Amino acid sequence: MTHVPPLGATSTGDALDWMDRDNEVARWLNQAQGRVQPDPRLRLLQLRKNFMRAAVEHPGRARTLRVIAYAQPQPNGDPSPDYARLRSYAEGTWQVKYEIHDEAPDDARPPQQRNGWLMARRLLHEGFADGVIAISRDVISPDDALYERELRWIGDQFSFVDLIIPESR
């Protein structure tokens, strides 16, 4: 009985088929290249826009969407200028139903440790509002992981976040 080499093998002692050789070459080529990580700000911007699109285009939502104007003024600061800016931004697009703020403490607390943000989450969860508008993502959280977690939770409620200053700035 004669030994037949595997298809693509160059000799009877060559047990590698063409796919093994191709994978080996690909591994060799890729080891020299560093992976370029995408800018997390752009990834978060795209994630937020996808959730916003899903919330706005949700079947059965023919009414004007109700939003929460969320602000975080400096300690002992007046949130009125922030609210005025947010109302102006929402004008003609959404109905500002609630105005909620947390004072920005010296040590930035995570969003889930702020009473105002927890109230906004509760209103979204219970269906009293469809989204949150804020001046920038730093108002929600400057930490990428915490901000993404909040975005995903809000998206799971078929709600949205919109920002005056997008993540890419």
Side-chain angles (χ1 to χ4, degrees), residues 23-35:
N23 287 340
E24 191 176 310
V25 168
R27 278 191 296 274
W28 178 78
L29 287 172
N30 287 332
Q31 75 183 5
Q33 298 175 358
R35 296 253 185 238

Side-chain angles (χ1 to χ4, degrees), residues 37-139:
Q37 295 298 323
D39 186 349
R41 294 175 303 172
L42 295 177
R43 185 181 58 78
L44 291 169
L45 171 72
Q46 192 60 44
L47 179 66
R48 181 178 59 81
K49 285 188 173 192
N50 287 341
F51 284 135
M52 189 168 163
R53 188 177 313 109
V56 170
E57 295 172 0
H58 190 272
R61 280 201 179 154
R63 60 177 164 68
T64 301
L65 298 178
R66 302 159 303 176
V67 296
I68 300 164
Y70 181 72
Q72 195 176 34
Q74 294 304 313
N76 301 320
D78 181 19
S80 298
D82 291 347
Y83 288 150
R85 189 172 173 194
L86 291 166
R87 277 193 304 273
S88 173
Y89 179 73
E91 191 174 321
T93 308
W94 300 296
Q95 176 189 7
V96 176
K97 196 76 171 163
Y98 302 95
E99 294 177 343
I100 299 175
H101 76 277
D102 283 308
E103 285 190 8
D106 295 333
D107 60 334
R109 291 177 292 165
Q112 291 191 3
Q113 292 180 6
R114 292 187 246 135
N115 292 331
W117 183 252
L118 291 175
M119 171 65 79
R121 283 178 56 126
R122 187 175 66 86
L123 290 168
L124 292 170
H125 178 70
E126 293 176 358
F128 291 107
D130 302 305
V132 175
I133 57 173
I135 292 177
S136 73
R137 63 134 316 159
D138 291 336
V139 171

